[in-house]
Amino acid sequence: MELPGAGVNSNECESVSSKQEMSEEFEANTMDFLVDLPFATIDIKDDSEITDVPKVNLERSKENECNNKEQIKKRKKKRKDYQPNYFLSIPITNKEITKGIKILQNAIIRQDEQLARAMSSDGSFHITLLVMQLLNEDDINVGIDALLELKPFVEEILQGKPLTLPFEGVDTFGNQVGFVKLAEGDHINSLLEIADAAKRTFQEKGILAGESRTFKPHLTFMKLSRLPWLRKKGVKKIDPKLYEKFIGHRFGEEVVHCIDLCSMLKKKQSNGYYHCESSILIGPKPIGIQDLINEALRRERMGLQSKVKEIKALLLKPEIQAKIRRELFEGRFINNSNQGNDVDFSATLT
């Protein structure tokens, strides 16, 4: 029996037969999408139970199906093009921890000097809470707003208590990324809750954020991906023997005082830390006006120091120095010519 609407033009959206040929991948993606919707738990009737389908409803159903397919395609494309370039960072400021990491790095370098450039630089030690994609200034402003909105959620999670992170031991991800581990304790649950709140807050703002893999807080100290040429020399993994003496080493504790929105790509600050767009201060004590002023001044000072360093480096370039000398000479020559012309013009008037 021919269904009503079987004569629909072939240029229209998917026909009933093409719907039956939908790929398993498309179906899986559709169900993933439906799980997030409020009606996901409602039973969906099987098509065989529909006894009468008016033509107008069938056409409307196919049109909605087409729209849903296009939306899913756009989401898949957006996710495929997703390349994080910003992240939420908890900076490591405890000198005891950074000193211990430097000792670890130097111990590894003494055993294999070619791994020196695989090490994370001074001042860049941090824990990544969330990665995201911010493509322009508007996105960055939205990201800053999301970070500010995150603050009360963090305060609710911590309930006035300090978030202290003890670091103990060393491990790797697939023998490719070396990191200092967090010791076990309630602080991990707090950190996971904050990371989850951050992901939710940023995604509700329309920002592509987060990763498919499970969040595992860690403090990276080296990456083999920084040295791809090592594979040609036979170095394909971080040998556990290189850090075996630090397996149970206690590096110290970090009391978290802020969360920063940082760029992966912009030039780092003069102290080695990442370019920071904005921060929120967290901790047990109330943040007063003076605290905010001091933090703002610190950020401003660090930014100015970085700019001065850039200017100095620019002025030391021979081509820049030659250009300055040329422009100064030409400017002096033009001024002298103009002065001469003014005298002659005045003379003709008298």
Side-chain angles (χ1 to χ4, degrees), residues 281 286-297:
L281 301 176
I287 303 300
I289 296 297
Q290 191 58 48
D291 293 312
L292 295 175
I293 292 174
N294 290 340
E295 179 66 15
L297 289 174

Side-chain angles (χ1 to χ4, degrees), residues 6 53 66 92 100 112 126 172 188 207 231 240 245-246 250 267 284 304 309 317 336 348:
V53 184
C66 179
I92 303 301
D112 192 341
H126 69 282
T172 68
I188 293 183
I207 295 173
R231 296 187 68 85
K245 293 182 180 179
F246 294 85
R250 293 187 63 86
K267 188 173 182 178
L304 288 174
K309 191 174 180 180
K317 292 183 178 181
N336 291 337
T348 57

Side-chain angles (χ1 to χ4, degrees), residues 267-269 275 303-317:
K267 188 173 182 178
K268 289 183 178 180
Q269 301 176 28
H275 174 87
L304 288 174
Q305 288 175 346
S306 180
K307 286 293 182 185
V308 169
K309 191 174 180 180
E310 289 179 20
I311 293 171
K312 286 182 177 179
L314 190 64
L315 291 175
L316 288 174
K317 292 183 178 181

